[in-house]
Amino acid sequence: MQERTSGQRRRRPSTSPAASSQKKKKKKPHKAWRIIKRLFSILVSTILSLFLICIITGTIVATAAAIYVLDFMDEASTITLEEMELSYNTNVYATDKDGNLLNIYQVNNETQRIPVTLDEIPRHTLDAFVYTEDERFYTHDGVDYKNTIGAFLNLILEFWDSERGGSTITQQLIKNVTGDDDPSPSRKIREIFRAMTLEKNYDKDEIIETYLNYIGFGGSCNGIELASIKYFGKNVGDLTIAESAVLAAIPQSPESINPFAGYTDDETGEWVASGRVRNRERMEYVLWQMYEHGAITYDEYQDALSEEILFTDTEEYKKLHPEENADEYNDGTQPISWAVEAAIREVQSYLMETYQIDKEEALSRINSGGYQIYTTVDWEMQQYVEERYLDLNNLVRAKDVAKYEDTNGDGTIDDLDTVIYPQSAFIALNYDGSVRCVVGAVGEKTQSIIWNYATMEPRQPGSTIKPITGYGYGIYTNEFHWGSQILDSGLKMPDGSIWPENYGGSKGSGNNVALSYGLMKSLNTISARLVDALTPEQVFSFATDKMGLELLEMDAGGRTDIALSPLSVGALTYGVTLQNMVNAYIPYGNGGTYYSAHIVSRLEQGNHELVYENNGDPYEAVDPETAYVMNRLMKNVVSSNGTAGAAQLSNKDVVGKTGTTQNWDDLWFIGLTEDFVSGVWIGYTERDRIVANPSSAKLWYNVIGEYANSLETDAEYPTCESVICAPICKKTGMIAGEGCEKGEKGYWKPDNAPRCSGCEPEETTEDPSATTEPGEAPSSTASGGTTPKPTDPPVVEPTDPPEPPPTDPPADPPADPPADPAA
């Protein structure tokens, strides 16, 4: 390193003016660039900030919109067709004599409907609604966007004077169901989402079917079936093209375009049928739409335009249909019939058991749940029997069974005192357990849901129990047969008394009589010996488990029906209903199969959704041989020598059994024909002796005899080829041999058909069954058995009396008719 000398100076480089000027020029662009760069930075930051603000705002808006939409979707998901169908009316149906369905009762709600299935609606009727209300129904997803946009624009800009309709059939259905008709955009959005959701969950057929069943047609009339009946008096399946167009014109404005709409002119006071005029205009539009879319031909279009439409409110229609009136079905404003009431009670019991609810809740569900109740009732028969039961004199001579009470305490009976008449009930079942008709009391029915003596009143059945207990079980088990010889004498009780007695206080003849004779004459002694020999326990099991009789096994007080007197003469602890007793006889008329009594065959809810079906739950109660032998045994009862001769019919083979309880408090007759099994009961509400001792068989004849005899059917009792039909040996009760004196024909099961071989040809004996008091009796009871030991204390029950001689025609009705039963 070189050292500087003292005289040396450090020189600064010299700069020329030109260079200096160039340097200055270079600094200027640098400053501008910095300004630009700064401005650019600010601009980018601003843009980024705005972008971020937009993103955040958009996110917030999108989130809010999503929540808003989800709320609509949640609301939309709550709408179901099943919910809509629950608003249908509850209807009860029966059949007429030709098997046609009749609507016999309809709950009187604010709105009325009779639902039908899509296959019941003609194609041209369906087309009329689709091409008028929603021509793109089968292609859109619930919303017609073209019409919807037009409706929105009209709402804002008001292109058209009236409100522009953009709703599809699906949207209209939702609006009808929800009642949400607010004209705001939010309602429209809700409706759109609901429609789209509904279309995802259901097919087009389900939607259009529900729509046609639901929409209003003016007033309380809803649904196309009821509209068809209201305006044309016919079912929807019978509508013409023109009539279909009339109905399709109504939904646009049901209260003003329905054909019956109008007003009374203030000046003239005359009715102005404005609805007919407006409906015609709209109807022509409907027909044009159908033609325009190819649903009908030009000729069909012209024919429909020129068709003369007959409305039910015209005089011409009324002249052509004089028989058509409100009696065809009960709309809920009148007391319901006995059959309808029984059906409602049956459905009520089903709902209570199925859903574990009380009676009130079950009845409330029936009234509001849109049930379709299909009954087994023969409406013609029901009306016939109800007519008979309006007047007690149609059944018995009222003055003969009137009971007088000295209510004012003056010691004399006069017009100021109370006259009490007996009550009566009747029920008929088909051999599949279905109720054909039922009447629960005497007199005009003035209230609904009241006491029914046929289905609700347990009474002592008397001798009607005998074929279901000892006789039936004896034949079923082969312990006894048609001619089994049984001692006609009471059983000796532990206290030394003899029980039971026969009619008139007779202790019995002391002779052996045939089993068939014992039933024909309703001898209590024979029935008691049968039950005692077979044991009450086994007979009880047979009667309840096999024959369906509702007897008491044991109550809290130790009382039971497993004893001699209940099972042999019907002295039950509480009794049985008429329906239950008639039900127990079914196997003896159909070949041995038991079916539970039921008046409802099918229960549907909403638009024909099956709730349950009832076929009676059949099972074999007895074998066909037993059923046929018992049937023939009861044929003897309904003969000139039996206790029910008055029930004979010229055109029907009547079999059955009479029943009379202790002190004549109750009289019964269960009668079978080839067509049905039925029963009648009569007795005072407060149990007391029936004066005049009327014939229960004659009572049955007065109620149903003529009707039953008039039925021309091919029905027959099931025969059993294996059963042996042969003359009875008068001496032994067996099948008569060559040397036997032959009596009437008897019927034997093939595995219990003893043949007599001990009679010599010249020997003759008197048939004990030929007289009321047989001759000398052997000591045996049941085909050589010994007298069985009694098992319970004596209870005296009367044997059914013989038929009384014919009486005069019924007298005039009493001054005071029988009162209606209290619920």
Side-chain angles (χ1 to χ4, degrees):
M1 181 175 180
Q2 294 180 352
E3 295 183 1
R4 294 177 182 169
T5 62
S6 59
Q8 290 182 333
R9 289 185 176 180
R10 189 174 181 181
R11 294 182 178 181
R12 297 178 59 185
S14 61
T15 304
S16 65
S20 180
S21 175
Q22 186 176 5
K23 185 175 181 181
K24 289 179 181 180
K25 287 180 181 178
K26 286 182 179 179
K27 287 182 179 179
K28 287 181 180 179
H30 179 70
K31 186 177 181 180
W33 170 250
R34 282 190 302 166
I35 293 172
I36 292 170
K37 184 177 180 182
R38 186 171 182 180
L39 290 174
F40 180 77
S41 175
I42 293 171
L43 179 63
V44 170
S45 299
T46 302
I47 292 173
L48 287 174
S49 298
L50 290 174
F51 180 70
L52 289 174
I53 290 171
C54 289
I55 290 177
I56 294 170
T57 303
T59 303
I60 294 172
V61 171
T63 302
I67 294 172
Y68 189 67
V69 169
L70 287 173
D71 285 341
F72 281 119
M73 293 181 69
D74 286 340
E75 290 183 31
S77 64
T78 62
I79 303 298
T80 66
L81 293 186
E82 290 76 16
E83 181 182 354
M84 299 175 191
E85 291 163 4
L86 292 181
S87 64
Y88 293 163
N89 278 16
T90 291
N91 295 277
V92 182
Y93 301 94
T95 53
D96 62 16
K97 61 181 179 180
D98 299 319
N100 299 315
L101 207 61
L102 296 174
N103 187 335
I104 58 174
Y105 176 69
Q106 185 178 87
V107 173
N108 190 27
N109 289 336
E110 292 181 2
T111 57
Q112 301 173 16
R113 291 182 178 86
I114 302 176
V116 289
T117 57
L118 196 62
D119 57 9
E120 297 176 76
I121 303 172
R123 184 70 228 182
H124 58 256
T125 304
L126 193 62
D127 290 338
F129 283 86
V130 170
Y131 292 125
T132 302
E133 295 295 323
D134 185 4
E135 61 189 34
R136 286 180 284 275
F137 172 71
Y138 288 105
T139 58
H140 63 61
D141 61 355
V143 181
D144 189 333
Y145 293 103
K146 177 181 177 181
N147 283 345
T148 300
I149 292 171
F152 265 121
L153 291 176
N154 184 56
L155 186 66
I156 299 170
L157 303 176
E158 298 184 357
F159 291 127
W160 299 279
D161 293 336
S162 60
E163 182 181 344
R164 177 74 170 181
S167 296
T168 63
I169 281 176
T170 311
Q171 290 172 278
Q172 290 181 49
L173 176 59
I174 289 170
K175 187 191 297 184
N176 273 274
V177 172
T178 61
D180 189 359
D181 57 359
D182 179 19
S184 67
S186 61
R187 191 273 301 173
K188 200 67 179 179
I189 295 173
R190 281 195 302 271
E191 187 180 278
I192 288 171
F193 277 107
R194 285 169 172 172
M196 293 171 66
T197 302
L198 205 65
E199 292 262 358
K200 288 179 181 179
N201 295 330
Y202 301 94
D203 61 39
K204 294 289 186 179
D205 284 350
E206 291 175 303
I207 292 171
I208 190 67
E209 180 182 287
T210 307
Y211 169 80
L212 291 174
N213 278 315
Y214 202 92
I215 56 174
F217 287 90
S220 62
C221 177
N222 291 263
I224 193 167
E225 173 72 0
L226 195 59
S228 302
I229 296 171
K230 175 180 178 178
Y231 295 115
F232 307 116
K234 59 176 67 174
N235 295 326
V236 64
D238 300 323
L239 291 177
T240 65
I241 293 174
E243 291 167 341
S244 299
V246 168
L247 296 185
I250 298 175
Q252 186 188 53
S253 182
E255 300 308 320
S256 60
I257 303 183
N258 82 76
F260 293 173
Y263 61 92
T264 302
D265 189 279
D266 293 335
E267 294 182 2
T268 64
E270 295 180 352
W271 175 257
V272 179
S274 59
R276 196 86 98 227
V277 176
R278 293 194 62 186
N279 182 269
R280 177 69 192 188
E281 294 172 354
R282 178 75 174 167
M283 168 220 176
E284 291 178 1
Y285 169 76
V286 172
L287 290 173
W288 174 256
Q289 286 291 99
M290 295 176 71
Y291 169 64
E292 184 75 7
H293 289 86
I296 56 176
T297 65
Y298 181 76
D299 289 340
E300 289 174 326
Y301 169 65
Q302 291 294 333
D303 290 343
L305 285 174
S306 59
E307 180 180 323
E308 183 179 351
I309 298 174
L310 194 61
F311 292 102
T312 55
D313 65 344
T314 62
E315 292 300 322
E316 183 180 356
Y317 180 90
K318 294 175 182 178
K319 289 179 181 178
L320 293 172
H321 304 83
E323 78 290 346
E324 197 168 293
N325 51 50
D327 294 336
E328 188 73 14
Y329 72 92
N330 185 349
D331 64 358
T333 60
Q334 305 168 19
I336 58 179
S337 76
W338 290 109
V340 170
E341 188 168 303
I344 288 176
R345 288 188 187 278
E346 188 170 305
V347 174
Q348 184 183 40
S349 296
Y350 169 81
L351 296 177
M352 290 170 61
E353 181 179 351
T354 303
Y355 301 107
Q356 296 299 301
I357 56 179
D358 59 24
K359 289 183 178 181
E360 289 72 21
E361 173 64 19
L363 191 59
S364 176
R365 291 193 184 189
I366 293 171
N367 288 334
S368 61
Y371 289 101
Q372 309 306 308
I373 303 172
Y374 296 90
T375 73
T376 61
V377 174
D378 179 336
W379 193 237
E380 182 181 21
M381 184 178 184
Q382 180 69 33
Q383 290 181 309
Y384 176 89
V385 177
E386 285 192 6
E387 181 71 24
R388 300 295 296 166
Y389 264 79
L390 288 177
D391 187 352
L392 182 61
N393 281 298
N394 292 329
L395 315 182
V396 294
R397 186 152 49 180
K399 70 176 184 180
D400 289 346
V401 294
K403 186 175 66 171
Y404 299 89
E405 289 187 353
D406 182 14
T407 52
N408 58 13
D410 61 2
T412 60
I413 300 297
D414 51 36
D415 293 340
L416 299 177
D417 294 314
T418 301
V419 182
I420 299 175
Y421 298 97
Q423 270 298 350
S424 179
F426 177 87
I427 191 169
L429 308 178
N430 293 310
Y431 287 112
D432 61 358
S434 57
V435 175
R436 193 158 178 164
C437 86
V438 57
V439 175
V442 179
E444 182 180 359
K445 193 171 186 292
T446 59
Q447 294 177 301
S448 296
I449 313 299
I450 59 176
W451 192 257
N452 187 317
Y453 286 94
T455 61
M456 303 170 67
E457 176 85 358
R459 304 290 290 215
Q460 302 299 322
S463 294
T464 56
I465 204 171
K466 293 175 181 177
I468 309 302
T469 53
Y471 284 92
Y473 188 56
I475 297 296
Y476 176 69
T477 58
N478 288 333
E479 293 293 327
F480 295 89
H481 59 76
W482 182 281
S484 293
Q485 298 294 290
I486 305 172
L487 184 62
D488 177 22
S489 178
L491 300 169
K492 189 173 183 180
M493 296 294 107
D495 62 359
S497 62
I498 303 298
W499 178 88
E501 296 179 347
N502 291 327
Y503 174 68
S506 169
K507 300 294 185 181
S509 65
N511 300 325
N512 264 8
V513 299
L515 175 143
S516 59
Y517 179 81
L519 186 62
M520 181 177 71
K521 292 298 184 181
S522 196
L523 299 178
N524 292 334
T525 53
I526 305 305
S527 180
R529 288 185 175 274
L530 286 171
V531 173
D532 197 56
L534 296 164
T535 75
E537 291 77 14
Q538 293 300 314
V539 172
F540 179 90
S541 179
F542 172 79
T544 54
D545 298 341
K546 291 287 187 179
M547 307 304 288
L549 212 54
E550 296 172 0
L551 304 179
L552 176 66
E553 185 171 359
M554 183 75 71
D555 68 4
R559 291 169 293 188
T560 179
D561 288 335
I562 308 176
L564 269 178
S565 57
L567 298 173
S568 57
V569 295
L572 302 177
T573 306
Y574 298 112
V576 293
T577 65
L578 179 62
Q579 175 176 286
N580 185 220
M581 182 56 73
V582 173
N583 199 169
Y585 275 74
I586 282 180
Y588 296 154
N590 70 5
T593 303
Y594 179 86
Y595 292 83
S596 295
H598 58 283
I599 197 169
V600 177
S601 61
R602 182 179 175 91
L603 179 66
E604 297 175 351
Q605 189 173 27
N607 196 10
H608 302 282
E609 177 190 353
L610 180 65
V611 177
Y612 86 95
E613 286 182 299
N614 194 343
N615 64 352
D617 298 322
Y619 61 84
E620 184 178 273
V622 295
D623 54 89
E625 290 91 352
T626 296
Y628 189 55
V629 171
M630 287 303 303
N631 183 283
R632 295 299 86 191
L633 280 169
M634 292 189 293
K635 172 62 179 174
N636 281 356
V637 176
V638 189
S639 67
S640 56
N641 292 324
T643 60
Q648 296 178 88
L649 301 176
S650 61
N651 192 40
K652 297 294 176 181
D653 184 13
V654 183
V655 305
K657 186 69 188 74
T658 52
T660 307
T661 62
Q662 190 172 10
N663 299 325
W664 291 74
D665 288 354
D666 300 276
L667 296 178
W668 300 60
F669 179 72
I670 311 297
L672 294 75
T673 70
E674 297 90 333
D675 300 302
F676 57 84
V677 54
S678 60
V680 66
W681 161 86
I682 189 171
Y684 295 107
T685 302
E686 299 297 330
R687 290 160 174 78
D688 199 0
R689 180 184 177 88
I690 302 174
V691 298
N693 302 343
S695 163
S696 59
K698 182 63 176 176
L699 173 63
W700 179 88
Y701 179 89
N702 290 341
V703 173
I704 201 64
E706 291 183 6
Y707 182 90
N709 204 45
S710 69
L711 296 177
E712 296 295 338
T713 66
D714 298 327
E716 294 181 350
Y717 295 120
T719 57
C720 191
E721 295 181 359
S722 59
V723 169
I724 300 168
C725 176
I728 188 172
C729 172
K730 288 187 175 183
K731 180 180 180 180
T732 65
M734 300 180 184
I735 297 175
E738 292 184 1
C740 300
E741 182 180 358
K742 297 178 176 62
E744 61 183 19
K745 286 184 178 180
Y747 295 82
W748 285 265
K749 293 171 64 177
D751 48 356
N752 188 21
R755 297 179 181 273
C756 182
S757 59
C759 293
E760 298 181 2
E762 66 274 12
E763 217 175 329
T764 59
T765 50
E766 182 180 358
D767 181 7
S769 66
T771 60
T772 303
E773 294 293 333
E776 190 99 358
S779 58
S780 62
T781 57
S783 300
T786 58
T787 301
K789 182 180 179 180
T791 56
D792 66 340
V795 175
V796 178
E797 288 288 331
T799 306
D800 292 321
E803 286 298 312
T807 60
D808 297 330
D812 293 334
D816 296 320
D820 293 328

